[in-house]
């Protein structure tokens, strides 16, 4: 993520100028490199992304990429920021804080469904690229001044709470998609395959509440499940604001 500027001060990839472009044999830019890396991750998963494979996709030698990036981690940061650039910004504060947070949650989930690997890179330290910073600024501004959000700490806690739910939910969806590819079984096929074992275990009587959930709980569409969980989170924030 960082490279020494030569005077002892590290610089971030966002702040380093690109080297002059060369028309031959294959013109490069950070934008082209990131686009190729995103396409590779979309097609083959995050584990397939390497500077060597990205260079091959661009018909360039791997060493040429190091003129634009110092490490693979910088490439991942740029990829995440590119996806943040696809997420529409929340509208300025209008008092409808639930609508602002709901919109942010749904747009983030849609981006993660388009780019399954995106969820794997969320949840740690923020990447703080220009697109993510713009997204964060718009999100904070959409809540600041809305009824109940009288201080920046309240704004931060509400946004963090929704982001934690969204990241957890989209990681679960992403993990299910990866498991389906790895096993060749979709969720219903997997349930049928494990059905006899589960029934034998439930017949022991040791798991009565699990048995109730299995036999009486309904299957929930992923969109409905996401909306329901989000409603519960927003209801919790509303209750906290009302205290």
């Amino acid at each position: 993520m960082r490279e020494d500027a030569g005077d002892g001060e590290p610089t971030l990839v966002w702040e380093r100028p690109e080297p002059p472009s060369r028309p031959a044999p294959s013109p490069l830019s950070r934008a082209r490199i990131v686009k190729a890396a995103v396409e590779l991750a979309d097609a083959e998963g995050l584990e397939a992304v390497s500077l060597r494979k990205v260079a091959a996709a661009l018909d360039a030698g791997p060493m040429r990429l190091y003129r634009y990036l110092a490490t693979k981690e910088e490439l991942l940061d740029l990829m995440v920021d590119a996806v943040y650039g696809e997420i529409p910004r929340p509208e300025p504060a209008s008092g409808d804080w639930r609508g602002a947070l709901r919109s942010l949650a749904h747009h983030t989930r849609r981006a993660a469904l388009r780019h399954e690997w995106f969820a794997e890179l969320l949840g740690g330290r923020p990447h703080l690229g220009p697109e993510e910073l713009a997204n964060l600024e718009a999100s904070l501004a959409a809540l600041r001044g809305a009824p109940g959000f009288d201080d920046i700490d309240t704004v931060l806690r509400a946004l963090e709470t929704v982001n934690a739910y969204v990241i957890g939910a989209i990681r679960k969806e992403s993990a299910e998609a990866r498991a389906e590819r790895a096993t060749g079984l979709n969720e219903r096929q997997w349930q049928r395959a494990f059905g006899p074992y589960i029934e034998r275990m439930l017949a022991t009587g040791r798991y009565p509440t699990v048995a109730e959930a299995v036999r009486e709980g309904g299957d929930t569409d992923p969109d409905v499940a996401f909306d329901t969980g989000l409603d519960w989170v927003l209801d919790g924030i509303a209750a906290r604001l009302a205290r």
Side-chain angles (χ1 to χ4, degrees), residues 12-94:
L12 299 177
V13 65
W14 328 106
E15 300 176 297
R16 292 202 307 272
E18 293 196 36
S21 62
R22 296 188 304 181
S26 176
L28 286 182
S29 67
R30 283 199 187 114
R32 288 197 69 210
I33 293 169
V34 171
K35 182 175 183 293
V38 167
E39 290 173 352
L40 183 61
D42 288 347
E44 301 181 31
L46 197 60
E47 63 279 3
V49 176
S50 67
L51 293 181
R52 179 182 60 80
K53 286 189 175 182
V54 173
L58 293 168
D59 193 25
M63 295 308 297
R64 285 189 63 198
L65 269 62
Y66 283 104
R67 300 179 66 233
Y68 298 84
L69 305 162
T71 64
K72 178 181 174 180
E73 286 65 36
E74 287 190 345
L75 176 59
L76 297 179
D77 284 344
L78 290 167
M79 291 167 64
V80 168
D81 208 50
V83 176
Y84 269 108
E86 298 178 12
I87 301 174
R89 315 284 189 242
E91 295 297 322
S94 63

Side-chain angles (χ1 to χ4, degrees), residues 157-182:
R157 298 296 85 77
L159 186 60
E160 288 170 356
T161 299
V162 171
N163 280 339
Y165 168 73
V166 171
I167 291 170
I170 62 180
R171 279 186 169 175
K172 181 178 183 297
E173 288 190 75
S174 176
E176 174 61 35
R178 290 197 303 274
E180 182 172 329
R181 285 197 303 274

Side-chain angles (χ1 to χ4, degrees), residues 119-154:
E120 298 179 49
L121 298 177
L122 299 181
R125 290 179 175 177
H127 296 79
L128 300 182
E131 296 291 352
E132 183 174 2
L133 282 173
N135 183 285
L136 177 61
E137 171 63 27
S139 301
L140 295 174
L143 301 184
R144 191 73 174 97
F149 292 91
D150 301 322
D151 59 83
I152 195 64
D153 280 340
T154 302

